[in-house]
Amino acid sequence: MTSTMLSAQLRALASPEMAVVLQRFFKTGPGEYGEGDRFLGIKVPMLRALAKQQDASLATISALLASEFHEERVFALLLLMQFYKHGTVHDKTAAYELYLSRTRHINNWDLVDVSAPHIVGHYLADKPRERLYELAASASLWERRIAIIATFHFIRLHQFDDTLHLAALLCDDRHDLMHKAVGWMLREVGKRDQAVEEAFLLPRYRTLPRTLLRYAIERFPEERRLAYLRGTV
């Protein structure tokens, strides 16, 4: 199907009532992180179900990813993940390059979180990872989030170094959404090796943003978690 045909299918699923809810949830008001984003009002399970029925080209995916509607961009990323997963080595490179050339459209936390580990993280698993550090230094909140969330793929492989290095670079980020992302990835490290996470936290925990620390220690035993929060570790 063409992007126009797929877009028509999506818009047939739209719910104006749900769109209002989603616009509030994703902070689209003036001065908020999702300012100006528009929603059709389609839940993610419906997007996933429809995506599984498609076999879209990169050209079609690229066109959908440029949509003004949030759900069409989510849908495009779901299609891109399928294209990447089932593609040849050449296809995977093309999907990765398309992704990083369109980061201006991957412009909310859910868009990053659903896709970055499966495309950027997977692609870089056996390659040099300097691109992540370039993204981490970006002025774009979403590129910085891509950098740290992509490392979720490495964490699943029990490779923690890049997560920890990027966390050190990003832990003083000015944005609360980055505090949550860094804390989340540290928590994922800790679920696999708490000693590694604590080696990162102990020299820093008194000065880390509170949101980041709370996310990072969420799975700790209660007594240990409270000691971190009280500054008495």
Side-chain angles (χ1 to χ4, degrees):
M1 287 190 179
T2 66
S3 60
T4 302
M5 295 167 67
L6 289 171
S7 179
Q9 283 196 3
L10 290 174
R11 295 181 194 206
L13 300 172
S15 164
E17 295 79 15
M18 180 56 64
V20 172
V21 173
L22 292 173
Q23 285 184 209
R24 286 199 301 266
F25 181 75
F26 285 103
K27 308 296 184 186
T28 61
E32 295 182 311
Y33 62 75
E35 181 176 357
D37 204 355
R38 299 183 64 190
F39 286 77
L40 293 167
I42 309 171
K43 294 183 178 180
V44 172
M46 297 176 71
L47 297 173
R48 289 188 183 276
L50 184 58
K52 289 178 180 177
Q53 302 171 22
Q54 310 302 325
D55 184 18
S57 68
L58 282 184
T60 295
I61 293 168
S62 180
L64 283 169
L65 193 53
S67 173
E68 65 181 319
F69 289 104
H70 188 98
E71 292 93 337
E72 291 192 351
R73 301 198 303 281
V74 173
F75 188 64
L77 290 169
L78 293 172
L79 293 174
L80 187 60
M81 289 160 58
Q82 286 184 181
F83 182 94
Y84 179 94
K85 181 178 180 180
H86 299 294
T88 64
V89 171
H90 175 78
D91 290 337
K92 286 177 172 21
T93 298
Y96 167 80
E97 291 177 348
L98 174 65
Y99 187 96
L100 289 184
S101 71
R102 299 290 190 276
T103 55
R104 65 188 179 278
H105 301 305
I106 307 170
N107 59 350
N108 214 312
W109 58 264
D110 64 316
L111 299 170
V112 172
D113 296 359
V114 76
S115 58
H118 302 289
I119 297 176
V120 179
H122 189 282
Y123 185 78
L124 295 177
D126 60 351
K127 298 177 180 66
R129 299 170 185 177
E130 290 86 353
R131 188 71 177 96
L132 294 180
Y133 294 86
E134 295 171 7
L135 292 168
S138 171
S140 164
L141 163 63
W142 309 118
E143 289 192 347
R144 299 196 305 276
R145 189 167 175 115
I146 287 169
I148 191 69
I149 298 298
T151 70
F152 200 173
H153 182 78
F154 311 153
I155 295 170
R156 289 172 174 145
L157 300 174
H158 287 256
Q159 299 174 11
F160 306 137
D161 286 353
D162 286 294
T163 301
L164 298 174
H165 291 322
L166 287 163
L169 293 172
L170 293 167
C171 65
D172 294 324
D173 196 278
R174 63 188 179 276
H175 205 291
D176 184 64
L177 282 175
M178 287 303 302
H179 301 166
K180 293 176 180 178
V182 173
W184 172 24
M185 290 301 101
L186 289 173
R187 183 175 74 231
E188 293 298 329
V189 170
K191 284 164 62 176
R192 292 155 177 86
D193 193 328
Q194 187 170 320
V196 170
E197 183 186 0
E198 291 208 62
F200 178 89
L201 292 176
L202 283 169
R204 303 174 171 87
Y205 79 97
R206 289 188 176 90
T207 59
L208 289 174
R210 201 67 168 176
T211 297
L212 190 160
L213 181 62
R214 287 184 180 278
Y215 270 64
I217 63 175
E218 188 177 87
R219 297 293 186 93
F220 281 16
E222 185 68 2
E223 185 176 341
R224 188 70 169 167
R225 188 182 69 82
L226 290 175
Y228 271 97
L229 292 175
R230 292 167 180 157
T232 58
V233 178

